[in-house]
Amino acid sequence: EGMPQTLSSTSMFTPCGFSPHLHSSKEDEQGGLIFQDGNLTSASLDALIQHLIPTTDYYPEKAYIFTFLLSSRLFIEPHELLSRVCHKCIEQQRLDDPVLDKARIRKFGPKILQLLTEWTETFPYDFQEERMIGHLKDMIHRIAPCDEAYWKKMNQLLQTLNQKLATLSHGQEGIVKISAAVSDKLVAFKSKPPSIQREILSVCSDPYTLAQQLTHVELERLSHIGPEEFVQAFVHKDPLDGTKTCFSEQKKTSNLEAYVKWFNRLCYLVATEICMPAKKKQRAQVIEFFIDVARECFNIGNFNSLMAIISGMNMSPVSRLKKTWSKVKTAKFFILEHQMDPTGNFYNYRTALRGAAHRSLTAHSNREKIVIPFFSLLIKDIYFLNEGCANRLPNGHVNFEKFLELAKQVGEFITWKQVECPFEQDPNIIHYLHTAPIFTEDGLYLASYESESPENQTEKDRWKSLR
């Protein structure tokens, strides 16, 4: 009764505010947890684990569960954490007693099931490990004799988890296949490719459609990124655990890396499409087409594709094509460039992002919900947050205040990545975006010099060495 809902609303992801320096106001301590103005700021790892564990009359807050499960992996591996949680539950609820206190366990059962459900829903990748599933089953075997319904609950939970992991690994395989197919084609052209090479305008001549298909690709790839990848990207050795780095066996960040590769591919694809046509008029037409695509990405809230397109147009092999650019109506391009201008730590973009995030919160349709952040800036923000404050305080306590801020940034991202893409998919265009051959940087310069010959000695030397 009155059980917390599972992951749905954004409320779970808006923990209390963050302030890097402690206020001088009152501190309270409850069970080893230090509170400042009612907000949990620090505690020992043991106290934090204890705070995660439900009892017959206590269930942790949603924001706490997310924040702790996200950040705890910096200090303890998930299977070890789950083992300790189960162990403490067994002790506290006396689940080892020959005769179980059924009335008591019926109060505790739904709560531990709820915690395990939230864990599997938010961090499914943790459960790729056999040990995790082992702990989970053991827990339910202990409480199930008190209520038949717990078996059903466990089967549901495992089924949902298996489906989720199957979908995710299927997506990962797809991404791996695509990447393998593409890397072979990178160096294929030393000079301009023969005209049989399809170009983007023959596949899709409508900027609106292309922007929508790009949004499809973005949301598809985002859906595979687990929240924990943001933390695992920055795992350092924990000073209190001199023996090993957590997750030393592998950094589990493959989806995050694949997504960054996609951004780079899109930059190079845009540059390739612009440098390829032999005629100046055609090149100008491609530039104008991409300006319209970028503008539509902005309107949709797809800032990652927008930034990739602008970056592609700003690559020097493209920006040096003065005669081509003189044929382009550049006013629209400058407006977009201004939006993504890095000045003032990307002030304009951050303002636009906040606008899109606000629109997303009050949205009535999936279309209005779309927010796809400029991803490498998001990673950079998280990186600086991580580098800027210590994970532990001098007394060995976990700096929980820092992790609330981390959870806020990652949590917002999770809300965005769950949006269903409202646009119809065009497999033909999506296939082209993933597999069309692209020039290497050298290939781009070669094509660029062949389109508009070198203007100064540096360019002449470069062209000569490339040929």
Side-chain angles (χ1 to χ4, degrees):
E1 234 169 45
M3 284 306 302
Q5 300 305 297
T6 49
L7 239 180
S8 59
S9 66
T10 46
S11 65
M12 128 166 213
F13 295 129
T14 42
C16 33
F18 171 72
S19 122
H21 25 249
L22 290 175
H23 338 265
S24 51
S25 64
K26 67 177 177 49
E27 267 196 14
D28 305 314
E29 184 173 353
Q30 306 161 18
L33 304 172
I34 307 292
F35 290 86
Q36 195 85 46
D37 293 335
N39 299 334
L40 176 57
T41 54
S42 75
S44 68
L45 186 58
D46 284 340
L48 290 170
I49 294 173
Q50 185 59 58
H51 196 53
L52 180 70
I53 294 171
T55 63
T56 49
D57 49 12
Y58 163 76
Y59 189 80
E61 284 175 22
K62 211 171 200 64
Y64 176 77
I65 297 172
F66 178 68
T67 305
F68 184 58
L69 289 180
L70 177 71
S71 55
S72 61
R73 60 200 66 242
L74 289 167
F75 309 100
I76 179 172
E77 291 192 42
H79 72 87
E80 226 174 301
L81 174 62
L82 185 54
S83 162
R84 284 175 66 175
V85 167
C86 292
H87 191 74
K88 287 197 167 178
C89 287
I90 291 166
E91 238 171 55
Q92 287 165 15
Q93 303 304 325
R94 298 202 287 279
L95 297 177
D96 268 343
D97 286 7
V99 180
L100 295 175
D101 178 346
K102 287 196 177 182
R104 175 183 177 147
I105 288 169
R106 283 202 192 103
K107 278 188 191 158
F108 166 73
K111 295 193 169 121
I112 187 67
L113 279 167
Q114 174 70 21
L115 182 69
L116 294 170
T117 304
E118 280 188 50
W119 194 335
T120 56
E121 283 182 349
T122 322
F123 299 95
Y125 288 122
D126 285 353
F127 291 85
Q128 282 172 317
E129 267 206 76
E130 282 300 309
R131 286 180 286 191
M132 291 290 283
I133 301 285
H135 294 315
L136 194 141
K137 286 182 172 168
D138 175 59
M139 192 68 232
I140 292 169
H141 279 260
R142 289 170 183 276
I143 61 172
C146 297
D147 193 332
E148 282 296 299
Y150 295 163
W151 290 118
K152 207 170 130 193
K153 256 301 199 15
M154 177 177 82
N155 283 327
Q156 258 175 333
L157 186 150
L158 289 174
Q159 232 175 335
T160 315
L161 178 64
N162 281 332
Q163 278 169 340
K164 201 157 190 176
L165 286 173
T167 315
L168 290 169
S169 73
H170 176 70
Q172 276 176 311
E173 282 158 26
I175 286 173
V176 172
K177 276 198 199 97
I178 286 168
S179 309
V182 168
S183 52
D184 309 340
K185 294 184 179 168
L186 253 178
V187 206
F189 314 127
K190 253 310 174 213
S191 65
K192 281 207 170 179
S195 54
I196 48 166
Q197 155 79 13
R198 286 198 303 172
E199 80 291 351
I200 188 79
L201 288 171
S202 70
V203 181
C204 175
S205 56
D206 174 40
Y208 286 93
T209 308
L210 187 61
Q212 293 180 355
Q213 298 310 305
L214 284 168
T215 305
H216 250 295
V217 174
E218 297 279 352
L219 285 171
E220 157 71 17
R221 290 184 161 240
L222 280 183
S223 70
H224 299 298
I225 298 174
E228 70 284 354
E229 294 192 40
F230 291 100
V231 174
Q232 277 151 205
F234 309 122
V235 166
H236 294 311
K237 226 178 161 127
D238 181 16
L240 291 193
D241 179 16
T243 51
K244 62 180 193 320
T245 314
C246 297
F247 296 105
S248 52
E249 74 278 10
Q250 90 199 89
K251 283 273 184 72
K252 302 185 173 120
T253 54
S254 53
N255 300 297
L256 202 133
E257 288 159 29
Y259 188 52
V260 173
K261 279 194 186 123
W262 150 253
F263 178 90
N264 294 335
R265 169 170 169 80
L266 184 53
C267 293
Y268 274 85
L269 181 65
V270 168
T272 301
E273 296 286 347
I274 295 170
C275 292
M276 230 171 14
K279 294 194 169 65
K280 181 168 63 187
K281 191 178 154 192
Q282 285 172 304
R283 289 194 300 273
Q285 190 191 354
V286 176
I287 292 179
E288 295 204 320
F289 171 72
F290 276 120
I291 293 171
D292 289 337
V293 174
R295 193 165 67 161
E296 190 49 30
C297 286
F298 180 84
N299 293 337
I300 289 173
N302 177 357
F303 297 105
N304 203 51
S305 292
L306 164 66
M307 196 56 166
I309 293 170
I310 292 175
S311 307
M313 290 178 161
N314 281 330
M315 287 174 82
S316 25
V318 177
S319 59
R320 68 167 290 282
L321 299 170
K322 308 267 188 310
K323 293 175 184 138
T324 304
W325 280 95
S326 70
K327 296 259 172 278
V328 174
K329 302 185 198 70
T330 47
K332 286 193 285 192
F333 180 61
F334 293 138
I335 291 169
L336 288 171
E337 239 191 346
H338 179 66
Q339 278 298 344
M340 302 308 272
D341 179 9
T343 323
N345 192 9
F346 287 90
Y347 179 80
N348 297 344
Y349 157 70
R350 289 180 191 279
T351 308
L353 180 71
R354 273 201 304 277
H358 185 73
R359 172 188 73 181
S360 178
L361 282 176
T362 56
H364 297 299
S365 67
N366 269 353
R367 194 187 164 130
E368 294 171 328
K369 275 190 195 142
I370 297 172
V371 185
I372 300 169
F374 168 31
F375 194 63
S376 51
L377 187 61
L378 176 69
I379 290 183
K380 199 171 121 189
D381 285 347
I382 289 174
Y383 176 77
F384 281 118
L385 168 65
N386 191 59
E387 291 295 301
C389 334
N391 290 339
R392 296 220 189 231
L393 302 175
N395 65 359
H397 271 194
V398 171
N399 181 0
F400 202 72
E401 206 171 2
K402 166 182 175 172
F403 295 121
L404 281 170
E405 181 60 20
L406 182 72
K408 201 163 84 186
Q409 295 193 12
V410 175
E412 196 172 24
F413 167 79
I414 297 206
T415 313
W416 295 336
K417 87 180 184 97
Q418 288 171 336
V419 176
E420 289 280 318
C421 191
F423 310 118
E424 206 173 321
Q425 207 170 351
D426 184 321
N428 204 12
I429 299 173
I430 287 181
H431 181 73
Y432 184 86
L433 289 171
H434 279 133
T435 59
I438 49 177
F439 286 134
T440 55
E441 198 174 355
D442 285 350
L444 283 173
Y445 273 110
L446 256 177
S448 178
Y449 294 144
E450 284 177 30
S451 298
E452 295 185 20
S453 46
E455 293 199 341
N456 54 40
Q457 201 49 51
T458 320
E459 291 196 341
K460 282 178 186 150
D461 294 345
R462 179 157 197 173
W463 195 21
K464 199 172 151 188
S465 76
L466 282 174
R467 282 185 305 180

